[in-house]
Short mmCIF file of all heavy atoms in Angstrom, two decimals:
data_model
loop_
_atom_site.label_atom_id
_atom_site.label_comp_id
_atom_site.label_asym_id
_atom_site.label_seq_id
_atom_site.Cartn_x
_atom_site.Cartn_y
_atom_site.Cartn_z
N ARG A 434 -29.62 8.13 -5.88
CA ARG A 434 -29.74 7.25 -7.10
C ARG A 434 -28.66 6.16 -7.10
O ARG A 434 -28.80 5.01 -7.45
CB ARG A 434 -29.65 8.11 -8.34
CG ARG A 434 -30.80 9.04 -8.45
CD ARG A 434 -32.13 8.34 -8.78
NE ARG A 434 -32.12 7.52 -9.95
CZ ARG A 434 -33.07 6.69 -10.28
NH1 ARG A 434 -34.22 6.55 -9.42
NH2 ARG A 434 -33.15 6.03 -11.28
N TYR A 435 -27.39 6.63 -6.74
CA TYR A 435 -26.30 5.71 -6.73
C TYR A 435 -26.48 4.63 -5.71
O TYR A 435 -26.32 3.37 -6.02
CB TYR A 435 -25.02 6.53 -6.44
CG TYR A 435 -23.74 5.76 -6.86
CD1 TYR A 435 -23.32 5.78 -8.12
CD2 TYR A 435 -23.17 4.94 -5.88
CE1 TYR A 435 -22.09 5.07 -8.49
CE2 TYR A 435 -21.94 4.23 -6.25
CZ TYR A 435 -21.52 4.37 -7.50
OH TYR A 435 -20.39 3.60 -7.89
N PHE A 436 -26.91 4.97 -4.51
CA PHE A 436 -27.09 3.97 -3.45
C PHE A 436 -28.25 3.04 -3.79
O PHE A 436 -28.20 1.86 -3.53
CB PHE A 436 -27.37 4.62 -2.07
CG PHE A 436 -26.10 5.05 -1.43
CD1 PHE A 436 -25.80 6.40 -1.20
CD2 PHE A 436 -25.26 4.09 -0.88
CE1 PHE A 436 -24.67 6.73 -0.56
CE2 PHE A 436 -24.11 4.40 -0.18
CZ PHE A 436 -23.86 5.75 -0.03
N ARG A 437 -29.30 3.63 -4.38
CA ARG A 437 -30.48 2.79 -4.74
C ARG A 437 -30.10 1.72 -5.68
O ARG A 437 -30.40 0.58 -5.68
CB ARG A 437 -31.55 3.66 -5.31
CG ARG A 437 -32.85 2.95 -5.63
CD ARG A 437 -33.88 3.90 -6.25
NE ARG A 437 -35.07 3.17 -6.71
CZ ARG A 437 -35.32 2.62 -7.82
NH1 ARG A 437 -34.32 2.61 -8.77
NH2 ARG A 437 -36.45 2.06 -8.11
N THR A 438 -29.26 2.18 -6.83
CA THR A 438 -28.98 1.23 -7.86
C THR A 438 -27.98 0.20 -7.30
O THR A 438 -28.09 -1.09 -7.57
CB THR A 438 -28.19 2.00 -9.04
OG1 THR A 438 -29.09 3.00 -9.53
CG2 THR A 438 -27.80 1.08 -10.11
N SER A 439 -27.01 0.57 -6.39
CA SER A 439 -26.07 -0.36 -5.87
C SER A 439 -26.80 -1.38 -4.91
O SER A 439 -26.50 -2.54 -4.98
CB SER A 439 -25.02 0.40 -5.04
OG SER A 439 -24.06 -0.44 -4.54
N MET A 440 -27.75 -0.93 -4.18
CA MET A 440 -28.56 -1.78 -3.30
C MET A 440 -29.37 -2.80 -4.09
O MET A 440 -29.41 -3.99 -3.70
CB MET A 440 -29.38 -0.98 -2.34
CG MET A 440 -28.75 -0.45 -1.11
SD MET A 440 -28.06 -1.67 0.09
CE MET A 440 -29.63 -2.46 0.57
N LEU A 441 -29.98 -2.32 -5.14
CA LEU A 441 -30.78 -3.20 -6.00
C LEU A 441 -29.93 -4.39 -6.51
O LEU A 441 -30.44 -5.50 -6.71
CB LEU A 441 -31.37 -2.41 -7.11
CG LEU A 441 -32.63 -1.51 -6.73
CD1 LEU A 441 -33.01 -0.64 -7.98
CD2 LEU A 441 -33.79 -2.39 -6.29
N GLU A 442 -28.70 -4.11 -6.93
CA GLU A 442 -27.82 -5.15 -7.46
C GLU A 442 -27.44 -6.20 -6.30
O GLU A 442 -27.42 -7.37 -6.51
CB GLU A 442 -26.50 -4.57 -8.02
CG GLU A 442 -26.83 -3.75 -9.25
CD GLU A 442 -25.57 -3.09 -9.84
OE1 GLU A 442 -24.51 -3.31 -9.15
OE2 GLU A 442 -25.63 -2.37 -10.87
N VAL A 443 -27.21 -5.61 -5.12
CA VAL A 443 -26.77 -6.46 -4.02
C VAL A 443 -27.95 -7.30 -3.45
O VAL A 443 -27.60 -8.51 -3.24
CB VAL A 443 -26.15 -5.58 -2.86
CG1 VAL A 443 -25.88 -6.43 -1.62
CG2 VAL A 443 -24.85 -4.84 -3.37
N ILE A 444 -29.06 -6.73 -3.27
CA ILE A 444 -30.17 -7.54 -2.56
C ILE A 444 -30.64 -8.67 -3.53
O ILE A 444 -31.42 -9.51 -3.06
CB ILE A 444 -31.32 -6.69 -2.24
CG1 ILE A 444 -31.88 -5.95 -3.35
CG2 ILE A 444 -30.86 -5.64 -1.20
CD1 ILE A 444 -33.15 -5.07 -2.94
N ARG A 445 -30.20 -8.69 -4.81
CA ARG A 445 -30.55 -9.82 -5.69
C ARG A 445 -29.56 -10.96 -5.78
O ARG A 445 -29.74 -11.89 -6.47
CB ARG A 445 -30.90 -9.27 -7.03
CG ARG A 445 -32.06 -8.40 -7.12
CD ARG A 445 -32.12 -7.64 -8.44
NE ARG A 445 -33.41 -6.71 -8.48
CZ ARG A 445 -33.50 -5.76 -9.42
NH1 ARG A 445 -32.50 -5.57 -10.35
NH2 ARG A 445 -34.61 -5.06 -9.39
N GLN A 446 -28.46 -10.78 -4.94
CA GLN A 446 -27.47 -11.70 -4.94
C GLN A 446 -27.77 -13.00 -4.20
O GLN A 446 -28.71 -12.98 -3.27
CB GLN A 446 -26.06 -11.15 -4.35
CG GLN A 446 -25.59 -9.96 -5.15
CD GLN A 446 -25.11 -10.34 -6.52
OE1 GLN A 446 -24.53 -11.41 -6.69
NE2 GLN A 446 -25.41 -9.47 -7.50
N ASP A 447 -27.24 -14.13 -4.52
CA ASP A 447 -27.55 -15.37 -3.88
C ASP A 447 -27.22 -15.42 -2.34
O ASP A 447 -27.98 -15.95 -1.60
CB ASP A 447 -26.74 -16.53 -4.48
CG ASP A 447 -27.19 -16.76 -5.99
OD1 ASP A 447 -28.29 -16.43 -6.21
OD2 ASP A 447 -26.35 -17.32 -6.75
N TYR A 448 -26.14 -14.72 -2.00
CA TYR A 448 -25.85 -14.77 -0.45
C TYR A 448 -26.90 -13.99 0.30
O TYR A 448 -27.02 -14.29 1.52
CB TYR A 448 -24.49 -14.18 -0.19
CG TYR A 448 -24.26 -12.76 -0.49
CD1 TYR A 448 -24.39 -11.86 0.59
CD2 TYR A 448 -23.84 -12.31 -1.72
CE1 TYR A 448 -24.26 -10.44 0.25
CE2 TYR A 448 -23.57 -10.95 -2.00
CZ TYR A 448 -23.83 -10.09 -0.96
OH TYR A 448 -23.62 -8.71 -1.18
N ILE A 449 -27.57 -12.98 -0.27
CA ILE A 449 -28.68 -12.33 0.39
C ILE A 449 -29.89 -13.28 0.54
O ILE A 449 -30.53 -13.39 1.68
CB ILE A 449 -29.09 -11.11 -0.34
CG1 ILE A 449 -27.91 -10.07 -0.42
CG2 ILE A 449 -30.32 -10.49 0.31
CD1 ILE A 449 -27.47 -9.60 0.98
N ARG A 450 -30.17 -14.11 -0.38
CA ARG A 450 -31.22 -15.15 -0.33
C ARG A 450 -30.88 -16.08 0.69
O ARG A 450 -31.71 -16.54 1.48
CB ARG A 450 -31.42 -15.77 -1.73
CG ARG A 450 -31.99 -14.76 -2.80
CD ARG A 450 -32.42 -15.54 -4.05
NE ARG A 450 -32.67 -14.71 -5.17
CZ ARG A 450 -31.79 -14.49 -6.17
NH1 ARG A 450 -30.63 -15.07 -6.08
NH2 ARG A 450 -32.08 -13.73 -7.14
N THR A 451 -29.63 -16.47 0.64
CA THR A 451 -29.13 -17.45 1.62
C THR A 451 -29.29 -16.97 3.11
O THR A 451 -29.74 -17.71 3.99
CB THR A 451 -27.65 -17.84 1.44
OG1 THR A 451 -27.56 -18.35 0.07
CG2 THR A 451 -27.21 -18.89 2.38
N ALA A 452 -28.96 -15.70 3.33
CA ALA A 452 -29.08 -15.06 4.63
C ALA A 452 -30.50 -15.09 5.08
O ALA A 452 -30.86 -15.33 6.26
CB ALA A 452 -28.52 -13.65 4.54
N ARG A 453 -31.45 -14.77 4.07
CA ARG A 453 -32.89 -14.74 4.45
C ARG A 453 -33.40 -16.20 4.85
O ARG A 453 -34.19 -16.47 5.72
CB ARG A 453 -33.74 -14.12 3.39
CG ARG A 453 -33.61 -12.60 3.31
CD ARG A 453 -34.22 -12.00 2.13
NE ARG A 453 -34.27 -10.60 2.06
CZ ARG A 453 -34.32 -9.79 0.96
NH1 ARG A 453 -34.41 -10.41 -0.22
NH2 ARG A 453 -34.31 -8.54 1.15
N ALA A 454 -32.89 -17.10 3.98
CA ALA A 454 -33.31 -18.52 4.20
C ALA A 454 -32.83 -19.01 5.50
O ALA A 454 -33.39 -20.01 6.03
CB ALA A 454 -32.70 -19.35 3.05
N LYS A 455 -31.70 -18.47 5.93
CA LYS A 455 -31.20 -18.98 7.32
C LYS A 455 -32.04 -18.42 8.48
O LYS A 455 -31.84 -18.75 9.62
CB LYS A 455 -29.70 -18.58 7.58
CG LYS A 455 -28.80 -19.32 6.58
CD LYS A 455 -27.38 -18.74 6.63
CE LYS A 455 -26.83 -18.78 7.99
NZ LYS A 455 -25.40 -18.21 8.00
N GLY A 456 -32.96 -17.47 8.15
CA GLY A 456 -33.81 -17.00 9.13
C GLY A 456 -33.31 -15.72 9.85
O GLY A 456 -33.95 -15.37 10.87
N LEU A 457 -32.41 -15.07 9.20
CA LEU A 457 -31.83 -13.81 9.83
C LEU A 457 -32.99 -12.73 9.75
O LEU A 457 -33.80 -12.72 8.80
CB LEU A 457 -30.64 -13.30 9.10
CG LEU A 457 -29.40 -14.24 9.25
CD1 LEU A 457 -28.22 -13.66 8.46
CD2 LEU A 457 -29.03 -14.32 10.73
N LYS A 458 -32.93 -11.83 10.58
CA LYS A 458 -33.94 -10.70 10.64
C LYS A 458 -33.60 -9.84 9.34
O LYS A 458 -32.50 -9.74 8.94
CB LYS A 458 -33.77 -9.84 11.92
CG LYS A 458 -34.15 -10.56 13.15
CD LYS A 458 -34.12 -9.68 14.40
CE LYS A 458 -34.46 -10.36 15.64
NZ LYS A 458 -34.25 -9.48 16.85
N GLU A 459 -34.76 -9.36 8.82
CA GLU A 459 -34.56 -8.56 7.61
C GLU A 459 -33.76 -7.36 7.85
O GLU A 459 -32.88 -6.91 6.95
CB GLU A 459 -36.00 -8.03 7.10
CG GLU A 459 -35.98 -7.36 5.81
CD GLU A 459 -35.57 -8.31 4.67
OE1 GLU A 459 -35.54 -9.53 4.80
OE2 GLU A 459 -35.23 -7.71 3.61
N ARG A 460 -33.76 -6.71 9.03
CA ARG A 460 -32.93 -5.57 9.32
C ARG A 460 -31.48 -5.95 9.25
O ARG A 460 -30.57 -5.22 8.86
CB ARG A 460 -33.32 -5.01 10.70
CG ARG A 460 -32.52 -3.84 11.14
CD ARG A 460 -33.03 -3.28 12.50
NE ARG A 460 -32.92 -4.34 13.52
CZ ARG A 460 -33.39 -4.13 14.75
NH1 ARG A 460 -34.15 -3.05 15.04
NH2 ARG A 460 -33.32 -5.13 15.64
N THR A 461 -31.13 -7.20 9.85
CA THR A 461 -29.74 -7.69 9.72
C THR A 461 -29.31 -7.90 8.35
O THR A 461 -28.18 -7.57 7.94
CB THR A 461 -29.67 -8.93 10.54
OG1 THR A 461 -30.06 -8.77 11.88
CG2 THR A 461 -28.19 -9.41 10.66
N VAL A 462 -30.23 -8.53 7.55
CA VAL A 462 -29.78 -8.79 6.17
C VAL A 462 -29.52 -7.48 5.42
O VAL A 462 -28.53 -7.45 4.55
CB VAL A 462 -30.96 -9.56 5.47
CG1 VAL A 462 -30.72 -9.76 3.97
CG2 VAL A 462 -31.20 -10.93 6.17
N ILE A 463 -30.38 -6.51 5.56
CA ILE A 463 -30.23 -5.29 4.75
C ILE A 463 -29.06 -4.48 5.29
O ILE A 463 -28.15 -4.05 4.44
CB ILE A 463 -31.52 -4.41 4.86
CG1 ILE A 463 -32.71 -5.21 4.15
CG2 ILE A 463 -31.36 -3.08 4.15
CD1 ILE A 463 -32.49 -5.47 2.71
N PHE A 464 -29.05 -4.15 6.56
CA PHE A 464 -28.05 -3.22 7.06
C PHE A 464 -26.65 -3.85 7.35
O PHE A 464 -25.69 -3.10 7.40
CB PHE A 464 -28.57 -2.44 8.28
CG PHE A 464 -29.67 -1.48 8.03
CD1 PHE A 464 -30.94 -1.85 8.15
CD2 PHE A 464 -29.33 -0.21 7.45
CE1 PHE A 464 -31.96 -0.93 7.83
CE2 PHE A 464 -30.27 0.66 7.17
CZ PHE A 464 -31.62 0.33 7.34
N LYS A 465 -26.59 -5.11 7.57
CA LYS A 465 -25.27 -5.79 7.87
C LYS A 465 -24.70 -6.42 6.63
O LYS A 465 -23.53 -6.21 6.45
CB LYS A 465 -25.49 -6.82 9.04
CG LYS A 465 -24.12 -7.38 9.45
CD LYS A 465 -24.40 -8.28 10.63
CE LYS A 465 -23.02 -8.87 11.21
NZ LYS A 465 -23.16 -9.78 12.37
N HIS A 466 -25.44 -7.12 5.83
CA HIS A 466 -24.85 -7.88 4.81
C HIS A 466 -25.02 -7.06 3.46
O HIS A 466 -24.00 -6.99 2.71
CB HIS A 466 -25.64 -9.22 4.61
CG HIS A 466 -25.43 -10.17 5.79
ND1 HIS A 466 -24.28 -10.94 5.93
CD2 HIS A 466 -26.19 -10.34 6.94
CE1 HIS A 466 -24.37 -11.55 7.08
NE2 HIS A 466 -25.53 -11.27 7.71
N ALA A 467 -26.21 -6.55 3.18
CA ALA A 467 -26.34 -5.86 1.87
C ALA A 467 -25.74 -4.56 1.84
O ALA A 467 -25.00 -4.21 0.87
CB ALA A 467 -27.86 -5.77 1.53
N LEU A 468 -26.01 -3.72 2.85
CA LEU A 468 -25.53 -2.26 2.87
C LEU A 468 -23.99 -2.29 2.80
O LEU A 468 -23.39 -1.43 2.21
CB LEU A 468 -26.05 -1.52 3.97
CG LEU A 468 -25.55 -0.06 4.12
CD1 LEU A 468 -26.03 0.73 2.83
CD2 LEU A 468 -26.21 0.57 5.38
#
Side-chain angles (χ1 to χ4, degrees):
R434 294 294 298 174
Y435 196 87
F436 276 113
R437 180 181 181 275
T438 304
S439 185
M440 277 296 293
L441 284 174
E442 293 178 358
V443 171
I444 61 178
R445 293 168 180 165
Q446 299 295 319
D447 291 338
Y448 68 90
I449 295 297
R450 297 191 189 96
T451 304
R453 285 172 174 156
K455 289 170 62 179
L457 294 178
K458 294 180 180 178
E459 186 65 16
R460 184 175 56 186
T461 304
V462 173
I463 295 297
F464 287 99
K465 186 175 180 180
H466 296 278
L468 180 59

